[in-house]
Amino acid sequence: MRKNKRRKPMGEINVVPYIDVTLVLLIIFMITTPMLQTGVEVDLPKAESANVEQKEGGKPPIVISIKKDGKHYINADGVTDDLVQPEDINARVEAVLANNKNPQVLINADKSVDYGAVVTVMASLKNAGIPNVGLMTKSDDGQ
């Protein structure tokens, strides 16, 4: 005769599936974190925008202007605005970097200019070796 033996309940938790899930999440975060940290570092002007002070040495800042019609201009000497193709901005800024190791760089874009055009210029400046870019704004009193 067969006697019905009751099995005792097992009091242990199998942690192997939890370890597998944890490792998968760790790998996902390790892959996505570097993607989130790329980009162009920019010093964004404040709404009340203080005046930009010229750095020591008296050299004027490089001003890259983007007009409504999409034309790009560069002013590297403080006097003349030269018409430039967007793909040539990198070379022009690198030429200025040969003489001035840490120039101020400002972007002067019309408010109706596509955001992508401004980002493209900022990325080009980053590739040329400019660590910080300022965006020019108009103050509330119209200056």
Side-chain angles (χ1 to χ4, degrees), residues 15-136:
V15 294
V16 174
Y18 298 116
I19 293 172
D20 292 342
V21 170
T22 305
L23 289 175
V24 169
L25 288 174
L26 178 66
I27 291 169
I28 290 171
F29 288 127
M30 287 173 53
I31 292 171
T32 58
T33 301
M35 291 180 200
L36 297 174
Q37 294 177 351
T38 59
V40 180
E41 293 178 19
V42 178
D43 289 333
L44 294 175
K46 298 189 177 178
E48 297 166 1
S49 68
N51 291 336
V52 176
E53 307 222 356
Q54 200 167 6
K55 287 186 176 180
E56 294 177 21
K59 294 189 179 182
I62 299 170
V63 179
I64 299 169
S65 300
I66 307 172
K67 302 283 184 177
K68 277 188 213 181
D69 56 8
K71 292 183 180 176
H72 292 65
Y73 296 87
I74 188 166
N75 183 335
D77 58 4
V79 180
T80 56
D81 286 325
D82 298 327
L83 184 63
V84 66
Q85 295 299 320
E87 56 270 7
D88 296 334
I89 291 174
N90 196 344
R92 291 286 301 268
V93 171
E94 285 176 350
V96 173
L97 281 174
N99 298 330
N100 185 359
K101 295 296 179 196
N102 194 13
Q104 285 182 310
V105 179
L106 304 172
I107 296 177
N108 182 18
D110 191 273
K111 67 180 179 181
S112 63
V113 170
D114 182 36
Y115 177 71
V118 176
V119 171
T120 302
V121 170
M122 289 169 41
S124 178
L125 292 170
K126 182 76 172 179
N127 291 336
I130 303 296
N132 295 316
V133 177
L135 299 175
M136 296 177 72

